Amino acid sequence: MLEVSGEIGTLERLRGIVLREGEDGTTLRLGDIAQIDRGPRQPLAEVALHDGRPAILVAAALENGLQVDVWAGFVRDELSDFAQKMPGGLGMDLIFDQSTYTADRLVEVGLNMAIGVALVLAVLLVTLGLRAALIVATVLPLVSLATLFTMNLIGLPIHQMSVTGLIVALGLLVDAGIVMTDEVGRCLREGATRLEAVRASVSRLTMPLFASTATT
């Protein structure tokens, strides 16, 4: 073991470390037996490459309670200002932006929901008629808006799991709407008034629909 007193601030100081002194006054220094230079440790423990060139990766994670598209816009503005102050020879690239992925996913969910409403309306037009189809199809956007409003009110964020749960719930809602509309229509055909038909349908189907929804 070799102990060195004092600080080693330069490569010359490191090369001049005495390893051994001979009886004739000769000295063996570290620079006599080793090539000393400054550089990255080899082999590299960690390395970051961007387009095949060495790079430094900086990642920023979104905190809870923030909206990713608004936050990402703020980050892009900060990066734009910082890029103007960077010294020559250095470059900066934004290689991953989660906000674009989230925006694409929301657009995809909206498109799928629109397609689903159209398919539901088409099937119900054939099976139940125009009036029943419009009633069930109207429930979907109304409940979706009410759900999003409630999520915003209680602070529940829109993410992959909540959107998936919303889609599943809308499927159950269509089933419940079809069953309830068909039951009200049956009561009307049997001669009941509109109020009596609604009251009887709600009284008869509340527990079965609640049980099927809760178990799912």
Short mmCIF file of all heavy atoms in Angstrom, two decimals, residues 147-172:
data_model
loop_
_atom_site.label_atom_id
_atom_site.label_comp_id
_atom_site.label_asym_id
_atom_site.label_seq_id
_atom_site.Cartn_x
_atom_site.Cartn_y
_atom_site.Cartn_z
N THR A 147 -69.00 11.95 -15.62
CA THR A 147 -67.89 11.21 -15.00
C THR A 147 -66.62 12.04 -14.99
O THR A 147 -65.91 12.12 -13.98
CB THR A 147 -67.65 9.89 -15.76
OG1 THR A 147 -68.85 9.12 -15.75
CG2 THR A 147 -66.54 9.10 -15.11
N LEU A 148 -66.29 12.68 -16.12
CA LEU A 148 -65.09 13.52 -16.19
C LEU A 148 -65.20 14.69 -15.22
O LEU A 148 -64.21 15.09 -14.59
CB LEU A 148 -64.89 14.02 -17.62
CG LEU A 148 -64.57 12.94 -18.65
CD1 LEU A 148 -64.49 13.54 -20.05
CD2 LEU A 148 -63.26 12.23 -18.31
N PHE A 149 -66.39 15.27 -15.10
CA PHE A 149 -66.59 16.36 -14.15
C PHE A 149 -66.37 15.89 -12.72
O PHE A 149 -65.71 16.57 -11.92
CB PHE A 149 -68.01 16.93 -14.31
CG PHE A 149 -68.37 17.95 -13.27
CD1 PHE A 149 -67.89 19.26 -13.35
CD2 PHE A 149 -69.17 17.60 -12.19
CE1 PHE A 149 -68.21 20.20 -12.39
CE2 PHE A 149 -69.49 18.54 -11.22
CZ PHE A 149 -69.01 19.84 -11.33
N THR A 150 -66.88 14.70 -12.40
CA THR A 150 -66.71 14.16 -11.05
C THR A 150 -65.25 13.83 -10.78
O THR A 150 -64.73 14.09 -9.68
CB THR A 150 -67.57 12.90 -10.88
OG1 THR A 150 -68.94 13.22 -11.19
CG2 THR A 150 -67.49 12.39 -9.46
N MET A 151 -64.56 13.28 -11.77
CA MET A 151 -63.13 12.97 -11.61
C MET A 151 -62.33 14.23 -11.33
O MET A 151 -61.43 14.24 -10.49
CB MET A 151 -62.60 12.26 -12.86
CG MET A 151 -63.15 10.85 -13.05
SD MET A 151 -62.68 10.12 -14.65
CE MET A 151 -60.90 10.07 -14.48
N ASN A 152 -62.65 15.30 -12.05
CA ASN A 152 -61.97 16.57 -11.83
C ASN A 152 -62.30 17.14 -10.45
O ASN A 152 -61.44 17.73 -9.79
CB ASN A 152 -62.35 17.56 -12.93
CG ASN A 152 -61.64 18.89 -12.78
OD1 ASN A 152 -60.43 18.99 -12.93
ND2 ASN A 152 -62.41 19.93 -12.49
N LEU A 153 -63.54 16.92 -10.03
CA LEU A 153 -63.99 17.47 -8.74
C LEU A 153 -63.28 16.79 -7.57
O LEU A 153 -62.88 17.46 -6.60
CB LEU A 153 -65.50 17.31 -8.61
CG LEU A 153 -66.19 18.12 -7.52
CD1 LEU A 153 -66.05 19.61 -7.79
CD2 LEU A 153 -67.67 17.74 -7.43
N ILE A 154 -63.09 15.48 -7.66
CA ILE A 154 -62.46 14.74 -6.56
C ILE A 154 -60.95 14.61 -6.74
O ILE A 154 -60.28 14.01 -5.89
CB ILE A 154 -63.09 13.34 -6.40
CG1 ILE A 154 -62.80 12.47 -7.63
CG2 ILE A 154 -64.58 13.45 -6.13
CD1 ILE A 154 -63.34 11.05 -7.53
N GLY A 155 -60.41 15.15 -7.83
CA GLY A 155 -58.96 15.12 -8.03
C GLY A 155 -58.42 13.81 -8.58
O GLY A 155 -57.24 13.52 -8.41
N LEU A 156 -59.25 13.01 -9.24
CA LEU A 156 -58.79 11.75 -9.83
C LEU A 156 -58.22 12.04 -11.21
O LEU A 156 -58.94 12.53 -12.09
CB LEU A 156 -59.95 10.76 -9.93
CG LEU A 156 -59.62 9.38 -10.53
CD1 LEU A 156 -58.64 8.65 -9.64
CD2 LEU A 156 -60.89 8.56 -10.73
N PRO A 157 -56.93 11.77 -11.45
CA PRO A 157 -56.33 12.11 -12.74
C PRO A 157 -56.79 11.18 -13.86
O PRO A 157 -57.22 10.05 -13.62
CB PRO A 157 -54.82 11.95 -12.48
CG PRO A 157 -54.75 10.94 -11.38
CD PRO A 157 -55.96 11.17 -10.52
N ILE A 158 -56.69 11.67 -15.08
CA ILE A 158 -56.97 10.86 -16.25
C ILE A 158 -55.68 10.18 -16.67
O ILE A 158 -54.74 10.82 -17.12
CB ILE A 158 -57.52 11.71 -17.40
CG1 ILE A 158 -58.84 12.38 -16.99
CG2 ILE A 158 -57.74 10.87 -18.65
CD1 ILE A 158 -59.40 13.30 -18.05
N HIS A 159 -55.60 8.86 -16.48
CA HIS A 159 -54.44 8.09 -16.89
C HIS A 159 -54.91 6.77 -17.49
O HIS A 159 -56.12 6.59 -17.74
CB HIS A 159 -53.47 7.86 -15.73
CG HIS A 159 -54.14 7.42 -14.46
ND1 HIS A 159 -54.89 6.27 -14.38
CD2 HIS A 159 -54.20 7.99 -13.24
CE1 HIS A 159 -55.35 6.12 -13.16
NE2 HIS A 159 -54.95 7.17 -12.45
N GLN A 160 -53.97 5.88 -17.76
CA GLN A 160 -54.30 4.65 -18.48
C GLN A 160 -55.36 3.83 -17.75
O GLN A 160 -56.31 3.34 -18.36
CB GLN A 160 -53.03 3.82 -18.68
CG GLN A 160 -53.20 2.60 -19.57
CD GLN A 160 -53.40 2.97 -21.01
OE1 GLN A 160 -52.82 3.92 -21.49
NE2 GLN A 160 -54.24 2.24 -21.71
N MET A 161 -55.23 3.70 -16.43
CA MET A 161 -56.15 2.85 -15.69
C MET A 161 -57.54 3.49 -15.59
O MET A 161 -58.56 2.80 -15.72
CB MET A 161 -55.59 2.58 -14.29
CG MET A 161 -54.35 1.71 -14.30
SD MET A 161 -54.62 0.13 -15.13
CE MET A 161 -55.87 -0.59 -14.09
N SER A 162 -57.59 4.81 -15.35
CA SER A 162 -58.90 5.45 -15.22
C SER A 162 -59.65 5.46 -16.56
O SER A 162 -60.87 5.29 -16.60
CB SER A 162 -58.74 6.88 -14.69
OG SER A 162 -57.96 7.67 -15.57
N VAL A 163 -58.91 5.64 -17.67
CA VAL A 163 -59.56 5.61 -18.98
C VAL A 163 -60.07 4.20 -19.28
O VAL A 163 -61.18 4.02 -19.81
CB VAL A 163 -58.57 6.07 -20.07
CG1 VAL A 163 -59.12 5.79 -21.46
CG2 VAL A 163 -58.29 7.56 -19.91
N THR A 164 -59.28 3.18 -18.93
CA THR A 164 -59.73 1.80 -19.13
C THR A 164 -60.98 1.51 -18.31
O THR A 164 -61.94 0.89 -18.79
CB THR A 164 -58.61 0.83 -18.74
OG1 THR A 164 -57.45 1.10 -19.52
CG2 THR A 164 -59.05 -0.61 -18.99
N GLY A 165 -60.98 1.97 -17.06
CA GLY A 165 -62.18 1.79 -16.23
C GLY A 165 -63.39 2.50 -16.79
O GLY A 165 -64.52 1.98 -16.74
N LEU A 166 -63.18 3.68 -17.37
CA LEU A 166 -64.29 4.42 -17.98
C LEU A 166 -64.88 3.67 -19.16
O LEU A 166 -66.10 3.62 -19.34
CB LEU A 166 -63.80 5.80 -18.42
CG LEU A 166 -64.83 6.72 -19.09
CD1 LEU A 166 -66.00 7.00 -18.16
CD2 LEU A 166 -64.17 8.02 -19.52
N ILE A 167 -64.00 3.06 -19.97
CA ILE A 167 -64.48 2.31 -21.13
C ILE A 167 -65.31 1.10 -20.68
O ILE A 167 -66.37 0.80 -21.24
CB ILE A 167 -63.29 1.88 -22.00
CG1 ILE A 167 -62.62 3.11 -22.61
CG2 ILE A 167 -63.73 0.91 -23.09
CD1 ILE A 167 -61.37 2.80 -23.39
N VAL A 168 -64.81 0.40 -19.66
CA VAL A 168 -65.57 -0.75 -19.14
C VAL A 168 -66.92 -0.30 -18.59
O VAL A 168 -67.95 -0.94 -18.83
CB VAL A 168 -64.75 -1.47 -18.05
CG1 VAL A 168 -65.58 -2.57 -17.39
CG2 VAL A 168 -63.48 -2.06 -18.64
N ALA A 169 -66.92 0.81 -17.86
CA ALA A 169 -68.17 1.31 -17.28
C ALA A 169 -69.16 1.72 -18.36
O ALA A 169 -70.38 1.51 -18.21
CB ALA A 169 -67.86 2.50 -16.36
N LEU A 170 -68.67 2.29 -19.46
CA LEU A 170 -69.57 2.67 -20.55
C LEU A 170 -70.21 1.44 -21.19
O LEU A 170 -71.37 1.49 -21.61
CB LEU A 170 -68.81 3.49 -21.59
CG LEU A 170 -68.38 4.89 -21.16
CD1 LEU A 170 -67.61 5.58 -22.27
CD2 LEU A 170 -69.60 5.73 -20.76
N GLY A 171 -69.45 0.34 -21.26
CA GLY A 171 -70.04 -0.88 -21.77
C GLY A 171 -71.18 -1.38 -20.89
O GLY A 171 -72.24 -1.79 -21.38
N LEU A 172 -70.99 -1.33 -19.58
CA LEU A 172 -72.06 -1.70 -18.65
C LEU A 172 -73.24 -0.75 -18.78
O LEU A 172 -74.40 -1.15 -18.66
CB LEU A 172 -71.53 -1.70 -17.22
CG LEU A 172 -70.43 -2.72 -16.90
CD1 LEU A 172 -69.90 -2.49 -15.49
CD2 LEU A 172 -70.95 -4.13 -17.05
#
